Amino acid sequence: MTDGGSKTADHLRAALDGPWAAVREEARLQLADDRFTGDPYLDYKAARARVLDQMKVIAGMGLAERGFRRENGGTSEPGAAVTGLEMLAYADLSLWVKAGVQWGLFGGAVENLGTERHRDHITRLLSLDLLGCFAMTESGHGSDVANLETTATYDPATQEFVIHTPTPSARKDYIGGAAEHARMAAVFAQLITDGENRGVHCLLVPIRDEHGADLPGVTTYDDGLKGGLPGVDNGRIVFDQVRIPRENLLNRYADVAPDGTYTSEIENPSRRFFTTLGTLVRGRVSVGGAAAAGARVALSIAVRYAEKRRQFADPDSGEETVLMDYRSHQRRLLPLVAKSWALAFAQNDLVRRMHLVQTGQDLDPSAQRALEKRAAGLKVAQTRHATRAIQECREACGGAGYLTENRLVTLKADTDVFTTFEGDNVVLTQLVAKELLTSYSDEVRDLDALGWVRFAATMAGDVVRKRSGVRQMIQTLSDRNGESIDEADLSRRSVQLKLFADREDYLVRTAAHRLRARAKETGPFEAFNNAQDHILTAGTAHIDRLVLEAFIDGIADIEDPEARALAEDVCDLYVYSLLEEHTAWFIMHRFMSVERAKAVRRGMNELVDRLRPNALTMIEALGVPEGMLRAAMLEDASVFERA
């Protein structure tokens, strides 16, 4: 790291850097180059050109090759690829998005959905000889991918697919690369052959010639100015009976013979659709990681600023007080730093799981589905955290935080859309909860209505915990501490885990009961719609519990005593801040007394007091080099000195 840091910070950074720590350290050195710094003063046309030039430099670093299989010219290191590209977020999020579209979304679609006949495309896209885009979203359908309107109709007479936009709402929209740079699109469309709709498939469709002009039948539009990410050329694409060769169908999971015969090894259309989308999970993993990286940058700036900026004199000493010495400032920033730690450990765990699945080291049939659920949940947590943390950092830095030269408003603008792309956060939370409810229903499917009522009213069941491993973790920690859960010491990990798990259990149980009871009266859709708030809360509780587990696992291997003690306190702060946030729920549902709620509040104050002297160490552990922060208010410390 360029800013050195204490030995304690070094130990903590090593833990937070995770399995691909060497990749992170290499990227810190590579990306310190001024060529990768964003320039907020450029207009969007110049910003796009700059990012494309930066992409060409990145292409020579070997970062992209890690994400592709050896037979396709890569090195088969998906974990290293996600980690390395995540580091681009420290420099410029426009660059991260542009790289993600080219090598993650477009390249990922070609490699994971294509076959050997598409190998040449991978060679070309790796070197940027072929610039591409990922054309899934339509103006009328974003999250509802199954009901996209664009069609790909096979014509056996010419052995071509005809790509067509049948309605205005079927235009491909918000597509990164579509406005200017992309020459080819990975287009998701309803595949029609022999007069039958076979569902959504992906096809490679050339959209521009070598001079950048739209090809016949293709019309592209520029989405124009956006709330952020000026270096990304988002645009719209309309297809008017565009013909492409039969071989342009990405045919890993389904193919069309020259005579139009459709074949697939996955007979069930629904399973085929979800298998197709599941192979693209790396994009969702990456979005969450980049959002969390943006939050780390903002917190690194805000805490360092709070250590320098003074405001209001201490009546006893006459000296102005450093912002970070105010409890209100500690409370607004330090819990967010703790959450960044928690999410960093959770991301490391997620990337490790993804790497094992995508390299064939984890062949458990349920591993892919579990990965998708975890990726969806963590993407929600990370992007919501980024939105909240960056805004808090902006406010905590006052007027200086509003100046573009100090990066916070740029980070806020650039990460705002992360809550939307790769899955709207509300929809993804709902997806997580549906998975929980599906698993849960297997346990109670044969119970009558009375049985459901009794089951839902039982507080001590272990349906969620049996599947997650949290039950074993609670028991192990209880045994280690020699205390029973009933003693309820909030500083005990076993008690903390049990509170999180009990909340999740209760919400899933009661949501299931509510759905079952309502469905008999109104039908499934109305029942689900009526319980949607409950379902979303259950999904959020599940995500919170997964992140806590990852935090506990992440600090378990820290050997240095001082570093371990500090990490334990930071973990406590993460737990107490969430308990405080949900105090009303815990009291209403009798998981927590009013006295215990007061103890949580006192515990928060004690923890921020204890952690105050280590605020900079906590920030240094997050691993954003001070030289990459590039906030003007940090570079000229003399402005805060008093004569």
Side-chain angles (χ1 to χ4, degrees):
M1 287 229 5
T2 56
D3 56 350
S6 67
K7 284 187 176 181
T8 299
D10 291 341
H11 287 295
L12 293 169
R13 185 167 57 249
L16 285 161
D17 274 356
W20 287 276
V23 172
R24 292 189 186 279
E25 195 58 39
E26 178 187 34
R28 289 184 182 111
L29 296 174
Q30 292 174 325
L31 298 174
D33 191 317
D34 286 341
R35 289 178 295 175
F36 300 119
T37 307
D39 184 350
Y41 295 98
L42 296 175
D43 65 38
Y44 74 97
K45 286 285 189 180
R48 291 173 180 179
R50 178 183 174 90
V51 168
L52 186 59
D53 287 341
Q54 291 171 329
M55 284 276 288
K56 293 172 183 175
V57 179
I58 295 294
M61 290 182 173
L63 292 177
E65 281 81 358
R66 290 168 172 157
F68 292 83
R69 292 189 288 273
R70 288 186 176 85
E71 60 267 28
N72 292 328
T75 60
S76 295
E77 302 173 276
V82 168
T83 302
L85 290 174
E86 175 193 306
M87 299 295 286
L88 297 179
Y90 290 165
D92 184 358
L93 280 159
S94 283
L95 175 58
W96 178 85
V97 171
K98 190 75 170 175
V101 168
Q102 174 69 15
W103 294 308
L105 295 178
F106 178 64
V110 178
E111 175 165 90
N112 294 307
L113 301 180
T115 56
E116 188 174 347
R117 72 189 190 198
H118 305 107
R119 186 166 292 169
D120 179 61
H121 291 89
I122 296 176
T123 301
R124 294 175 60 212
L125 70 87
L126 271 170
S127 66
L128 299 185
D129 180 53
L130 173 63
L131 291 170
C133 62
F134 185 81
M136 177 183 281
T137 299
E138 296 177 356
S139 297
H141 290 90
S143 299
D144 188 6
V145 178
N147 286 306
L148 296 176
E149 296 178 81
T150 299
T151 57
T153 306
Y154 186 67
D155 180 359
T158 60
Q159 297 186 25
E160 294 173 312
F161 285 100
V162 182
I163 312 300
H164 187 59
T165 305
T167 68
S169 64
R171 68 183 183 185
K172 297 297 179 181
D173 211 345
Y174 325 119
I175 311 301
E180 192 171 342
H181 295 150
R183 299 293 186 264
M184 178 175 283
V187 177
F188 287 78
Q190 303 287 350
L191 192 150
I192 300 169
T193 182
D194 290 334
E196 185 176 347
N197 188 337
R198 308 290 182 169
V200 174
H201 292 63
C202 187
L203 306 94
L204 296 178
V205 184
I207 59 173
R208 289 190 178 91
D209 62 24
E210 64 273 19
H211 304 295
D214 289 347
L215 291 171
V218 177
T219 304
T220 62
Y221 304 86
D222 198 318
D223 277 327
L225 290 174
K226 309 183 295 294
L229 301 172
V232 184
D233 52 323
N234 296 86
R236 302 182 173 109
I237 314 173
V238 174
F239 301 102
D240 183 10
Q241 308 292 341
V242 176
R243 290 181 170 267
I244 60 171
R246 180 182 66 88
E247 291 78 14
N248 281 29
L249 171 66
L250 296 177
N251 61 328
R252 180 174 297 276
Y253 297 110
D255 207 351
V256 174
D259 66 357
T261 302
Y262 179 86
T263 56
S264 174
E265 294 181 358
I266 306 174
E267 293 184 7
N268 184 291
S270 178
R271 190 159 69 87
R272 184 166 59 243
F273 171 71
F274 284 108
T275 298
T276 297
L277 295 188
T279 62
L280 306 175
V281 70
R282 197 183 303 177
R284 195 166 283 166
V285 173
S286 299
V287 166
R296 291 195 292 273
V297 174
L299 286 163
S300 297
I301 292 170
V303 171
R304 289 180 186 278
Y305 178 74
E307 291 281 11
K308 296 180 178 181
R309 178 76 156 85
R310 294 177 178 272
Q311 192 75 82
F312 301 111
D314 181 334
D316 294 328
S317 67
E319 293 185 4
E320 287 186 302
T321 304
V322 172
L323 291 184
M324 206 66 219
D325 285 342
Y326 288 104
R327 176 171 286 175
S328 61
H329 219 75
Q330 296 161 12
R331 266 184 157 269
R332 73 192 305 186
L333 292 181
L334 293 185
L336 294 171
V337 176
K339 190 161 190 176
S340 278
W341 278 44
L343 293 171
F345 283 123
Q347 176 72 1
N348 289 339
D349 177 65
L350 177 66
V351 174
R352 179 185 60 80
R353 292 169 186 266
M354 181 207 75
H355 183 83
L356 293 174
V357 169
Q358 296 193 344
T359 56
Q361 297 177 69
D362 186 349
L363 298 176
D364 185 334
S366 64
Q368 176 69 36
R369 191 74 176 261
L371 175 65
E372 292 167 25
K373 181 180 74 171
R374 190 175 288 259
L378 194 52
K379 184 264 181 184
V380 171
Q382 291 170 310
T383 55
R384 283 181 176 163
H385 171 64
T387 297
R388 178 187 171 195
I390 296 170
Q391 176 63 25
E392 196 66 54
C393 289
R394 206 294 300 154
E395 293 182 26
C397 292
Y402 198 59
L403 296 181
T404 299
E405 68 178 9
N406 291 321
R407 284 194 75 186
L408 295 173
V409 287
T410 301
L411 286 166
K412 180 175 169 55
D414 287 348
T415 58
D416 189 42
V417 74
F418 282 47
T419 61
T420 299
F421 63 44
E422 283 295 319
D424 171 83
N425 277 1
V426 172
V427 174
L428 290 185
T429 306
Q430 190 170 281
L431 180 152
V432 170
K434 279 184 174 180
E435 284 292 309
L436 291 173
L437 290 164
T438 298
S439 297
Y440 175 85
S441 67
D442 292 338
E443 299 285 331
V444 294
R445 180 170 290 140
D446 296 327
L447 292 179
D448 58 18
L450 180 59
W452 270 73
V453 171
R454 288 173 177 164
F455 195 70
T458 303
M459 304 286 284
D462 299 311
V463 174
V464 174
R465 282 173 244 174
K466 278 192 286 189
R467 284 182 168 77
S468 67
V470 68
R471 190 177 188 230
Q472 181 61 42
M473 181 178 273
I474 290 172
Q475 188 59 53
T476 300
L477 289 169
S478 298
D479 293 343
R480 185 184 304 159
N481 293 326
E483 271 191 349
S484 69
I485 295 295
D486 295 334
E487 291 179 74
D489 180 350
L490 284 176
S491 67
R492 299 296 189 191
R493 292 283 176 254
S494 54
V495 175
Q496 296 169 356
L497 272 167
K498 188 173 187 300
L499 278 169
F500 278 51
D502 281 349
R503 179 168 181 256
E504 179 186 356
D505 275 348
Y506 181 87
L507 285 163
V508 174
R509 289 163 183 273
T510 51
H513 169 63
R514 185 173 169 184
L515 284 169
R516 175 71 174 258
R518 185 83 176 183
K520 291 183 177 180
E521 301 173 12
T522 64
F525 174 77
E526 184 59 34
F528 190 88
N529 200 39
N530 176 264
Q532 199 166 27
D533 59 327
H534 192 153
I535 290 164
L536 291 170
T537 305
T540 300
H542 174 73
I543 297 164
D544 289 342
R545 194 259 302 162
L546 289 183
V547 173
L548 175 57
E549 286 185 34
F551 202 153
I552 293 170
D553 279 341
I555 63 180
D557 296 328
I558 299 175
E559 295 181 357
D560 180 76
E562 288 187 21
R564 175 65 179 266
L566 178 54
E568 296 285 2
D569 283 344
V570 176
C571 186
D572 279 338
L573 182 58
Y574 168 70
V575 171
Y576 274 64
S577 63
L578 276 179
L579 292 177
E580 186 177 62
E581 182 180 343
H582 299 297
T583 295
W585 187 93
F586 281 109
I587 292 175
M588 279 178 13
H589 294 86
R590 300 184 180 181
F591 285 92
M592 187 180 287
S593 67
V594 172
E595 285 307 311
R596 172 166 283 189
K598 292 178 181 178
V600 170
R601 176 66 60 91
R602 289 193 299 272
M604 279 284 290
N605 289 336
E606 291 169 4
L607 282 164
V608 295
D609 281 348
R610 192 185 312 159
L611 288 167
R612 163 64 187 99
N614 295 294
L616 271 180
T617 301
M618 291 167 64
I619 284 298
E620 289 171 358
L622 288 175
V624 185
E626 190 171 4
M628 288 186 71
L629 296 178
R630 296 188 173 94
M633 63 186 177
L634 300 181
E635 294 168 7
D636 183 11
S638 63
V639 74
F640 305 117
E641 295 175 1
R642 301 289 189 260

